[in-house]
């Protein structure tokens, strides 16, 4: 997927600025970037909904998936009808291998949600956000390996700038406390599983539209999360459905839907870096709702993350080859009047 994205980007970059190919590529990239921003903002509200829920943390993940699944299935079916019969015939058949890949993606996502929701309750919010977003660096690294190319200087600088900004934003409140050890380990595990989920779904998105891919992987996550919650003997049935509905519609339908859509159109580096929008929004939520004030260092970290996102959105300028125009054949110069002058026959008297 990364190699194909790199090739497409090179083709689009080499096209003239006013060509339809380049215009379409720029528009597609802008839409994918907007989807990543919206998706990460929506996902950043997840921890807040989890803490407001009156179920167990893993059970909250189960309801996030279960309540979102019918909505995603309806959207997938409606999208297939809109694409028409010809596109439906061209859709890939769901063989055992494809089902197995989607089930594996669902299990990875279930493990991510279960581990992260447990980790949120076992460590500080800053620790959970920092460690849970380690996919920021794992997924771009996967993209570079698949593309068999090191990042450009601008890409490498953007990645380092984003990492430094995240550390400044969250490092001040990070606590190396033995009491948080289990929660930290669970959040780190969640971040790794989230990267695995992205890698699997990136391959799925090469052959399947976003809504069917998300709907099927979401359904595959329901049973593992329910079993996980039952093993931990959590409270599964809620008394208040508001936080769980918000978790399902905002985090899963809107947030994860935008992320899966962008997986088929954005590079792994862009997907990874935009994940850092989540800790920025989470810090803002803590500031507005819980009165957690942001200091100067926090604002500098936010600015560095924003600058990294601007850098990764820049397209390298392409030097157009000089157009060599064929020489226009010069008309032979007529001889000057004189001895060599030849009169036209009709000019004779």
């Amino acid at each position: 997927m990364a190699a194909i994205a790199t090739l497409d980007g090179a083709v689009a970059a080499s096209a003239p600025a006013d060509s339809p190919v380049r215009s379409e590529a720029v528009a597609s990239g802008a839409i994918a970037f907007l989807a990543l921003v919206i998706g990460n903002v929506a996902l950043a509200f997840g921890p807040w909904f989890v803490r407001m829920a009156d179920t167990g943390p893993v059970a909250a993940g189960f309801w996030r998936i279960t309540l979102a699944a019918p909505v995603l299935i309806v959207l997938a079916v409606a999208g297939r009808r809109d694409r028409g019969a010809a596109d439906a015939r061209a859709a890939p058949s769901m063989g055992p291998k494809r089902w197995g890949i989607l089930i594996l993606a669902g299990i990875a996502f279930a493990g991510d949600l279960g581990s992260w929701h447990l980790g949120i309750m076992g460590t500080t919010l800053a620790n959970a956000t920092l460690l849970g977003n380690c996919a920021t660096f794992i997924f771009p690294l996967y993209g570079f390996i698949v593309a068999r190319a090191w990042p450009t200087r601008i890409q490498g600088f953007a990645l380092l700038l984003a990492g430094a900004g995240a550390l400044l934003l969250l490092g001040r409140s990070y606590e190396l406390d033995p009491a948080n050890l289990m929660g930290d380990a669970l959040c780190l595990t969640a971040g790794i599983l989230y990267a695995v989920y992205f890698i699997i779904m990136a391959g799925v998105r090469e052959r399947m539209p976003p809504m069917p891919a998300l709907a099927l992987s979401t359904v595959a996550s329901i049973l593992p999360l329910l079993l996980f919650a039952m093993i931990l003997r959590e409270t599964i049935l809620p008394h208040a459905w508001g936080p769980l509905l918000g978790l399902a519609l905002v985090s899963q339908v809107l947030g994860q839907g935008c992320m899966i859509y962008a997986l088929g159109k954005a590079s792994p580096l862009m997907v990874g870096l935009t994940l850092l929008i989540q800790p920025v929004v989470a810090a803002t939520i803590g500031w507005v709702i819980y009165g957690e004030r942001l200091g100067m260092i926090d604002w500098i970290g936010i600015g560095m993350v924003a600058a990294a996102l601007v850098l990764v959105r820049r397209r390298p300028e392409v030097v157009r080859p000089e157009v060599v125009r064929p020489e226009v054949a010069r008309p032979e110069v007529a001889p000057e009047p004189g001895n060599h002058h030849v009169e036209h026959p009709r000019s004779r008297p």
Side-chain angles (χ1 to χ4, degrees):
M1 186 272 292
I4 295 174
T6 303
L7 180 60
D8 291 343
V11 172
S14 61
D18 55 350
S19 69
V21 174
R22 184 160 187 173
S23 300
E24 184 179 352
V26 171
S28 178
I31 294 173
F33 182 74
L34 180 62
L36 286 171
V37 172
I38 295 174
N40 279 288
V41 170
L43 287 170
F45 284 85
W48 182 39
F49 289 128
V50 171
R51 289 196 170 185
M52 288 193 301
D54 57 1
T55 63
V58 178
F62 161 74
W63 285 114
R64 163 180 168 169
I65 297 299
T66 303
L67 294 175
V71 179
L72 293 173
I73 291 173
V74 169
L75 292 175
V77 172
R80 185 172 182 178
R81 287 178 179 173
D82 291 340
R83 287 192 301 271
D87 198 16
R89 287 194 299 268
S93 59
M94 293 298 297
K97 182 179 180 181
R98 201 172 303 279
W99 278 113
I101 293 174
L102 284 168
I103 291 173
L104 184 61
I107 293 174
F109 189 61
D112 160 56
L113 280 185
S115 300
W116 194 45
H117 286 187
L118 281 174
I120 289 171
M121 300 299 181
T123 186
T124 64
L125 187 60
N127 292 24
T129 309
L130 178 63
L131 297 173
N133 282 282
C134 65
T136 295
F137 304 99
I138 297 175
F139 192 57
L141 180 61
Y142 153 79
F144 294 137
I145 292 174
V146 171
R148 296 181 180 179
W150 290 104
T152 64
R153 291 182 180 179
I154 292 181
Q155 290 174 339
F157 180 72
L159 198 57
L160 291 175
L161 188 65
L167 289 175
L168 282 180
L169 179 62
L170 301 171
R172 191 175 62 171
S173 57
Y174 187 85
E175 299 176 7
L176 289 175
D177 191 336
N180 298 332
L181 182 60
M182 182 58 69
D184 290 345
L186 286 169
C187 290
L188 181 60
T189 302
I192 295 173
L193 288 173
Y194 198 36
V196 172
Y197 170 73
F198 272 157
I199 291 172
I200 297 173
M201 292 304 292
V204 172
R205 280 289 286 113
E206 291 182 3
R207 301 172 180 84
M208 187 177 294
M211 274 302 135
L214 179 59
L216 293 174
S217 63
T218 296
V219 171
S221 303
I222 294 177
L223 185 58
L225 281 169
L226 178 60
L227 293 176
F228 196 6
M230 293 175 65
I231 291 173
L232 294 175
R233 297 182 178 180
E234 290 186 352
T235 301
I236 296 178
L237 292 177
H239 296 287
W241 288 95
L244 297 176
L245 285 171
L247 188 63
L249 297 178
V250 176
S251 295
Q252 188 64 19
V253 176
L254 178 60
Q256 207 61 38
C258 288
M259 296 298 290
I260 296 302
Y261 167 81
L263 274 182
K265 299 179 178 297
S267 68
L269 176 64
M270 185 179 294
V271 173
L273 286 184
T274 53
L275 289 175
L276 290 176
I277 294 174
Q278 292 187 45
V280 172
V281 177
T284 305
I285 293 173
W287 178 34
V288 174
I289 296 177
Y290 298 108
E292 299 174 358
R293 305 193 110 196
L294 299 175
M296 181 60 67
I297 294 179
D298 299 313
W299 287 112
I300 292 174
I302 291 174
M304 293 172 71
V305 171
L309 294 176
V310 172
L311 285 176
V312 81
R313 276 289 297 141
R314 287 184 58 188
R315 292 183 177 273
E317 294 184 4
V318 179
V319 180
R320 291 191 186 181
E322 185 178 352
V323 179
V324 180
R325 296 183 178 180
E327 287 190 15
V328 179
R330 294 182 180 180
E332 293 185 1
V333 180
E336 296 181 1
N339 297 331
H340 300 285
H341 178 67
V342 178
E343 292 182 348
H344 197 277
R346 293 184 181 179
S347 65
R348 294 177 182 177

